[in-house]
Amino acid sequence: MSSREADRKPRVKPGGTVATRRGIGASAGRIGTLAGTTFLQLLRMKTFYFLLIFSILVVVASTFNVLHHTGEQHLKLLKDVALGAMSLFTSLFAIVATALLIPSDLEDRTLQTILAKPVPRYDYILGKLCGVILVVAVSVVVMDLIFGAVLYAREEMMVAAELAGATESGGFAEEDLAVLEERLRSQGLNWNLQNAVAAIFLKSCVICAVTMLVSTIASTSLFTIIVGFVIFFIGHLQSVARDYWMHALDAGLWKRLFSGLVALIFPDFQIFNVVDGVVAGEVIPLGAMTRMAGLTILYVMVYSMVAYLVFADREL
Amino acid sequence: MSEKKTAAVSIDGLTKVFRGALARESVVAVKELSLEVAPGEVYGLIGPNGSGKSTTMKVLLGLIRPSAGRTAIFGVDSTRVESRRQVGFLPENPYFYRHLTGRETLQFYGRLCGVGRGALRARIDELLELVELGHAARRPLRGYSKGMLQRIGLAQALVQEPRLVVLDEPTAGVDPAGSRKIRDLILELKQRGIAVVLSSHLLEQVQEVCDRVGIIFNGSMVQEGRLEDLISIENQTEIILKNASADLLERIRDLAEGADAEFVKMGQPRTTLESLFLRETEGREE
Amino acid sequence: MSPADNPGIFRKNGMSYRLRRNLKRAAAGLVLLVFGIGRMSWEGSMEEEWKRLQLRAGGLDLGVREQLGQMSYLAALGGFRSLVASFLSVKAFNEWENVDWVKLESTYGLMTRLQPRVAGYWEEGAWHLAYNASAFYLLNEEMSPGVRRHLGGRYIRKGEEFLREGIRNNPEEYLLRQRLAEIYRNKFGDHCRAADEFAIAARLEGAPEYCRRFAAYEMADCEGREWEAYAALAGLYGEGVRHRKPTLLAKLGELEEKLSIPEAKRVLPEKGP
Ligand SMILES: Nc1ncnc2c1ncn2[C@@H]1O[C@H](COP(=O)(O)OP(=O)(O)O)[C@@H](O)[C@H]1O
Ligand SMILES: [Mg+2]
């Protein structure tokens, strides 16, 4: 390391501005270190309890067939509950986990020790963000696995039960049974469901980034959480405001300006709400998913940049 | 690269005003403060609580921006990230990630400084030995005592082998034995040629380690200089003898009076309460 | 970078830190606004694409809001439409058990408005109306025969209407066509229209082969289309053994008699003496 340190020194430009250009690799290493520690921190804070609640919910939802629902309805209900819970839990977790990070570092003065090292503030923000996104990703994968396993098990059970029932009552030809099975399986486990899960994850990334931005301004976790929830809520109605701004040309000036401002400032979370469509069986093409991912990256980049601009001169 | 001549710390006309939000009044925390610390020198910043010591250090480390004036570390302006390459910082009442063990903590800060893997492992072993925390290296910081936290904090500050360390109240709230250890560590750093800036609100705590002190009050420097110069009473001389007979003492007294010097005081020197405590508890702890 | 070549070792920049900070804040606000303007049209176009992909159901009007109640309405707005609809299906089940046809009808109306693309809701709602509700009235001993017929008939028509609405929303779904055909066949005894609907169903993707047979069976019973039906049935017979179901053979035999097809031209092998 000393050789690396040594050949860095001379490159400090006299009077230059933030001369951290050299060693992007080193910077990635720092972000990785910060992300890893953040990941470990959230892991050891036992924030993963909500995964347990999720599993219980999904398992309970999977035993809902006391309702004499048809197999199809039963599987739909299971998907609704599981994906709904996944979406809600992931979003809430993203808000709360992100809100805990910077304010607690600030309060413990850990931030002072970190920034007293040669760590640019954007590295710090990006490291924290990557860490929390990593945690969210891991939880989404775990929930997806639980959900997939339960759905698959239920699907197999329902198919077996319905086929047995049909054979017993008689009058069904091979062909009819195949149709029955196919309809049932169309409600079961399939790849398109992964698009919904991916959308849930992308939405959480945006939530993390916007909450991170809030926490660079706020001084407490509680405040950050509250503002995070407000943004979460308004973000779901944002498209209404955008519609109003773009189409309600006859409305009053102030109303239009206000809705325009809301549409400009708040993220649009509706774009990520594709669970309903996917459960109803609509297939999301790859192109649409790519656009969604592109939008997410843009959101995360812009919000991180704004977070840095706000955080750059913050007094610690 | 005439870095030999570059001061480890230069503070030039530093003023820091905390602007009060809403109805609160603005606070002038530091006023026109200037000082320089040479490489390898141990400098003590002394002053009562609220006199602006921590604020000065935070500006020096780029944690807050000055309202006026400038600060630099080895010639690099504090507002630049690379000014922090050569400095280690131990804040007042430090807290680190409580879920990390002592070793993980040092690893974390070492990696932030870009220390390579192999070098870091050796460095951490060395530091753990230096601050005598080898036995606790695998325990999470959650269970560390105040003194242990200060020492892991010191190790953390030293992890990238900086040429300057800044310690804010390193002995505050630590028991005398712990305080002694920390002062020994500071002397050790001095031996190695590392410049140290430390602050304290107690003069006695720093007087044996500092080459130079600055006394700061209400944000302004009121006195600065070499420790001996500041506290010695210039027209007095102290003679300490061991096993002197009553007769000898009598002869000295006569000698003094015969030579036109005023005899002020004679008696047995008192040990300080602290050294008594240390002597009595030596070897009993742990 | 040493003091020698850089006498003022401090940053030489006249701008005060406060000014810099304020500039950065202004930049932050500006970036947010510019990003907002930039993404507005992009998100608008994505929204359009989502609608085209049927990912976004139509807006929820005031009527839905009143029927749903505040909490469910918010949930539906927040991307939990499917879940709300699922819970409504549980509610509908209770209403069925309580033979509350009025509520049941409105619940299915709500479910299908929340998720018009879930064919199962249309199918099931229509079944409740055209079969369960209508039978409930038609078989009700306490009412006079006139009232029974009137109410029963009305629910059958409701079921038919409901399915037609469902087909408008899911034109590619064969099952809804099949169910509509079944209502014409079972409830109206209208074999001609049943034949047409089965035929449409048979052409849709994923339709099972029996739809084609059913279309031919119904056509055989439709006055005036016997020749057409005979051709269809004969075609199916010729296609393979898998179509030679007892019903098909029976219908074919009936038509051959009815249309007096000469022995030599008949499709069915001559029966033994
Ligand atoms: N963030 C801050 N906002 C407002 N006032 C502050 C802030 N930090 C310190 N001060 C004030 O500045 C003065 C100096 O504080 P400090 O530097 O912490 O003193 P010391 O470290 O010598 O005890 C005190 O009056 C303190 O109240
Ligand atoms: Mg202080």
Side-chain angles (χ1 to χ4, degrees), chain B residues 43-69:
Chain B
Y43 189 96
L45 212 49
I46 321 291
N49 285 326
S51 53
K53 306 181 294 291
S54 301
T55 305
T56 307
M57 289 179 163
K58 283 184 192 175
V59 174
L60 183 63
L61 285 145
L63 297 172
I64 57 182
R65 300 280 188 246
S67 306

mmCIF file of all heavy atoms in Angstrom, chain B residues 43-69:
data_model
loop_
_atom_site.group_PDB
_atom_site.id
_atom_site.type_symbol
_atom_site.label_atom_id
_atom_site.label_comp_id
_atom_site.label_asym_id
_atom_site.label_seq_id
_atom_site.Cartn_x
_atom_site.Cartn_y
_atom_site.Cartn_z
ATOM 1 N N TYR B 43 1.301 19.611 20.540
ATOM 2 C CA TYR B 43 0.709 20.903 20.856
ATOM 3 C C TYR B 43 -0.570 20.697 21.649
ATOM 4 O O TYR B 43 -1.427 19.901 21.271
ATOM 5 C CB TYR B 43 0.401 21.653 19.556
ATOM 6 C CG TYR B 43 -0.011 23.094 19.753
ATOM 7 C CD1 TYR B 43 0.914 24.130 19.658
ATOM 8 C CD2 TYR B 43 -1.334 23.419 20.038
ATOM 9 C CE1 TYR B 43 0.544 25.448 19.841
ATOM 10 C CE2 TYR B 43 -1.717 24.733 20.224
ATOM 11 C CZ TYR B 43 -0.772 25.748 20.123
ATOM 12 O OH TYR B 43 -1.147 27.041 20.315
ATOM 13 N N GLY B 44 -0.716 21.400 22.751
ATOM 14 C CA GLY B 44 -1.919 21.281 23.568
ATOM 15 C C GLY B 44 -2.778 22.521 23.453
ATOM 16 O O GLY B 44 -2.293 23.643 23.564
ATOM 17 N N LEU B 45 -4.045 22.306 23.230
ATOM 18 C CA LEU B 45 -4.997 23.415 23.167
ATOM 19 C C LEU B 45 -5.792 23.357 24.465
ATOM 20 O O LEU B 45 -6.542 22.422 24.702
ATOM 21 C CB LEU B 45 -5.907 23.197 21.962
ATOM 22 C CG LEU B 45 -6.455 24.386 21.195
ATOM 23 C CD1 LEU B 45 -5.371 25.369 20.837
ATOM 24 C CD2 LEU B 45 -7.133 23.885 19.932
ATOM 25 N N ILE B 46 -5.566 24.346 25.321
ATOM 26 C CA ILE B 46 -6.169 24.299 26.645
ATOM 27 C C ILE B 46 -7.230 25.379 26.753
ATOM 28 O O ILE B 46 -7.040 26.498 26.268
ATOM 29 C CB ILE B 46 -5.116 24.577 27.750
ATOM 30 C CG1 ILE B 46 -3.793 23.914 27.414
ATOM 31 C CG2 ILE B 46 -5.633 24.169 29.110
ATOM 32 C CD1 ILE B 46 -3.818 22.431 27.470
ATOM 33 N N GLY B 47 -8.329 25.055 27.399
ATOM 34 C CA GLY B 47 -9.352 26.064 27.596
ATOM 35 C C GLY B 47 -10.568 25.430 28.215
ATOM 36 O O GLY B 47 -10.777 24.225 28.081
ATOM 37 N N PRO B 48 -11.346 26.243 28.897
ATOM 38 C CA PRO B 48 -12.551 25.702 29.533
ATOM 39 C C PRO B 48 -13.561 25.215 28.490
ATOM 40 O O PRO B 48 -13.416 25.485 27.305
ATOM 41 C CB PRO B 48 -13.100 26.885 30.319
ATOM 42 C CG PRO B 48 -12.523 28.095 29.677
ATOM 43 C CD PRO B 48 -11.195 27.691 29.139
ATOM 44 N N ASN B 49 -14.574 24.508 28.956
ATOM 45 C CA ASN B 49 -15.618 24.027 28.052
ATOM 46 C C ASN B 49 -16.249 25.196 27.313
ATOM 47 O O ASN B 49 -16.493 26.243 27.878
ATOM 48 C CB ASN B 49 -16.712 23.294 28.833
ATOM 49 C CG ASN B 49 -16.223 21.929 29.267
ATOM 50 O OD1 ASN B 49 -15.447 21.290 28.566
ATOM 51 N ND2 ASN B 49 -16.650 21.505 30.438
ATOM 52 N N GLY B 50 -16.492 24.979 26.040
ATOM 53 C CA GLY B 50 -17.169 26.005 25.262
ATOM 54 C C GLY B 50 -16.247 27.093 24.758
ATOM 55 O O GLY B 50 -16.712 28.111 24.256
ATOM 56 N N SER B 51 -14.942 26.877 24.873
ATOM 57 C CA SER B 51 -14.045 27.957 24.450
ATOM 58 C C SER B 51 -13.676 27.852 22.968
ATOM 59 O O SER B 51 -13.013 28.732 22.442
ATOM 60 C CB SER B 51 -12.783 27.955 25.319
ATOM 61 O OG SER B 51 -12.205 26.672 25.317
ATOM 62 N N GLY B 52 -14.092 26.792 22.305
ATOM 63 C CA GLY B 52 -13.867 26.728 20.861
ATOM 64 C C GLY B 52 -12.815 25.735 20.427
ATOM 65 O O GLY B 52 -12.404 25.739 19.264
ATOM 66 N N LYS B 53 -12.389 24.835 21.306
ATOM 67 C CA LYS B 53 -11.343 23.872 20.947
ATOM 68 C C LYS B 53 -11.859 22.886 19.894
ATOM 69 O O LYS B 53 -11.220 22.671 18.867
ATOM 70 C CB LYS B 53 -10.883 23.099 22.198
ATOM 71 C CG LYS B 53 -10.446 23.980 23.352
ATOM 72 C CD LYS B 53 -9.978 23.172 24.538
ATOM 73 C CE LYS B 53 -11.083 22.350 25.181
ATOM 74 N NZ LYS B 53 -12.115 23.146 25.883
ATOM 75 N N SER B 54 -13.012 22.278 20.192
ATOM 76 C CA SER B 54 -13.551 21.289 19.244
ATOM 77 C C SER B 54 -13.851 21.944 17.908
ATOM 78 O O SER B 54 -13.610 21.348 16.847
ATOM 79 C CB SER B 54 -14.832 20.681 19.803
ATOM 80 O OG SER B 54 -14.583 20.058 21.026
ATOM 81 N N THR B 55 -14.391 23.138 17.948
ATOM 82 C CA THR B 55 -14.722 23.824 16.700
ATOM 83 C C THR B 55 -13.470 24.019 15.852
ATOM 84 O O THR B 55 -13.473 23.757 14.648
ATOM 85 C CB THR B 55 -15.369 25.183 17.026
ATOM 86 O OG1 THR B 55 -16.482 24.952 17.882
ATOM 87 C CG2 THR B 55 -15.827 25.879 15.777
ATOM 88 N N THR B 56 -12.386 24.450 16.505
ATOM 89 C CA THR B 56 -11.131 24.638 15.777
ATOM 90 C C THR B 56 -10.693 23.336 15.112
ATOM 91 O O THR B 56 -10.300 23.311 13.941
ATOM 92 C CB THR B 56 -10.039 25.112 16.756
ATOM 93 O OG1 THR B 56 -10.523 26.251 17.445
ATOM 94 C CG2 THR B 56 -8.767 25.451 16.020
ATOM 95 N N MET B 57 -10.771 22.256 15.860
ATOM 96 C CA MET B 57 -10.336 20.972 15.318
ATOM 97 C C MET B 57 -11.217 20.521 14.164
ATOM 98 O O MET B 57 -10.732 19.972 13.173
ATOM 99 C CB MET B 57 -10.356 19.925 16.420
ATOM 100 C CG MET B 57 -9.237 20.158 17.424
ATOM 101 S SD MET B 57 -9.289 18.949 18.720
ATOM 102 C CE MET B 57 -7.658 19.115 19.404
ATOM 103 N N LYS B 58 -12.511 20.763 14.292
ATOM 104 C CA LYS B 58 -13.414 20.345 13.211
ATOM 105 C C LYS B 58 -13.133 21.122 11.936
ATOM 106 O O LYS B 58 -13.187 20.557 10.840
ATOM 107 C CB LYS B 58 -14.867 20.559 13.632
ATOM 108 C CG LYS B 58 -15.380 19.506 14.591
ATOM 109 C CD LYS B 58 -16.840 19.762 14.852
ATOM 110 C CE LYS B 58 -17.383 18.956 15.990
ATOM 111 N NZ LYS B 58 -18.773 19.362 16.258
ATOM 112 N N VAL B 59 -12.838 22.396 12.080
ATOM 113 C CA VAL B 59 -12.496 23.167 10.888
ATOM 114 C C VAL B 59 -11.218 22.609 10.278
ATOM 115 O O VAL B 59 -11.117 22.425 9.065
ATOM 116 C CB VAL B 59 -12.330 24.666 11.223
ATOM 117 C CG1 VAL B 59 -11.833 25.424 9.996
ATOM 118 C CG2 VAL B 59 -13.641 25.250 11.705
ATOM 119 N N LEU B 60 -10.274 22.301 11.146
ATOM 120 C CA LEU B 60 -8.991 21.776 10.668
ATOM 121 C C LEU B 60 -9.188 20.495 9.863
ATOM 122 O O LEU B 60 -8.477 20.233 8.900
ATOM 123 C CB LEU B 60 -8.081 21.523 11.880
ATOM 124 C CG LEU B 60 -6.675 21.034 11.577
ATOM 125 C CD1 LEU B 60 -5.906 22.080 10.781
ATOM 126 C CD2 LEU B 60 -5.927 20.710 12.867
ATOM 127 N N LEU B 61 -10.171 19.694 10.265
ATOM 128 C CA LEU B 61 -10.404 18.422 9.589
ATOM 129 C C LEU B 61 -11.437 18.517 8.476
ATOM 130 O O LEU B 61 -11.867 17.503 7.932
ATOM 131 C CB LEU B 61 -10.820 17.376 10.612
ATOM 132 C CG LEU B 61 -9.601 16.939 11.417
ATOM 133 C CD1 LEU B 61 -9.955 16.634 12.826
ATOM 134 C CD2 LEU B 61 -8.916 15.789 10.719
ATOM 135 N N GLY B 62 -11.856 19.733 8.190
ATOM 136 C CA GLY B 62 -12.786 19.903 7.078
ATOM 137 C C GLY B 62 -14.199 19.454 7.389
ATOM 138 O O GLY B 62 -15.007 19.276 6.502
ATOM 139 N N LEU B 63 -14.498 19.242 8.673
ATOM 140 C CA LEU B 63 -15.854 18.801 9.014
ATOM 141 C C LEU B 63 -16.818 19.974 9.010
ATOM 142 O O LEU B 63 -18.007 19.799 8.753
ATOM 143 C CB LEU B 63 -15.855 18.118 10.391
ATOM 144 C CG LEU B 63 -15.002 16.852 10.455
ATOM 145 C CD1 LEU B 63 -14.901 16.347 11.875
ATOM 146 C CD2 LEU B 63 -15.582 15.782 9.544
ATOM 147 N N ILE B 64 -16.317 21.147 9.325
ATOM 148 C CA ILE B 64 -17.130 22.358 9.171
ATOM 149 C C ILE B 64 -16.293 23.411 8.450
ATOM 150 O O ILE B 64 -15.067 23.336 8.429
ATOM 151 C CB ILE B 64 -17.660 22.899 10.526
ATOM 152 C CG1 ILE B 64 -16.511 23.168 11.481
ATOM 153 C CG2 ILE B 64 -18.648 21.960 11.144
ATOM 154 C CD1 ILE B 64 -17.004 23.644 12.835
ATOM 155 N N ARG B 65 -16.975 24.341 7.847
ATOM 156 C CA ARG B 65 -16.304 25.367 7.065
ATOM 157 C C ARG B 65 -16.044 26.598 7.929
ATOM 158 O O ARG B 65 -16.896 26.962 8.732
ATOM 159 C CB ARG B 65 -17.185 25.781 5.897
ATOM 160 C CG ARG B 65 -17.519 24.666 4.959
ATOM 161 C CD ARG B 65 -16.369 24.417 4.004
ATOM 162 N NE ARG B 65 -16.750 23.465 2.976
ATOM 163 C CZ ARG B 65 -16.210 22.252 2.855
ATOM 164 N NH1 ARG B 65 -15.315 21.832 3.721
ATOM 165 N NH2 ARG B 65 -16.584 21.462 1.886
ATOM 166 N N PRO B 66 -14.890 27.231 7.752
ATOM 167 C CA PRO B 66 -14.633 28.459 8.514
ATOM 168 C C PRO B 66 -15.501 29.607 8.006
ATOM 169 O O PRO B 66 -15.883 29.614 6.848
ATOM 170 C CB PRO B 66 -13.154 28.730 8.234
ATOM 171 C CG PRO B 66 -12.878 28.061 6.938
ATOM 172 C CD PRO B 66 -13.791 26.882 6.859
ATOM 173 N N SER B 67 -15.797 30.542 8.913
ATOM 174 C CA SER B 67 -16.505 31.740 8.475
ATOM 175 C C SER B 67 -15.505 32.719 7.874
ATOM 176 O O SER B 67 -15.832 33.472 6.963
ATOM 177 C CB SER B 67 -17.221 32.403 9.650
ATOM 178 O OG SER B 67 -18.054 31.470 10.288
ATOM 179 N N ALA B 68 -14.301 32.713 8.436
ATOM 180 C CA ALA B 68 -13.215 33.515 7.867
ATOM 181 C C ALA B 68 -11.922 32.830 8.236
ATOM 182 O O ALA B 68 -11.872 32.054 9.179
ATOM 183 C CB ALA B 68 -13.253 34.937 8.426
ATOM 184 N N GLY B 69 -10.850 33.139 7.495
ATOM 185 C CA GLY B 69 -9.568 32.530 7.781
ATOM 186 C C GLY B 69 -9.459 31.168 7.137
ATOM 187 O O GLY B 69 -10.411 30.681 6.519
#
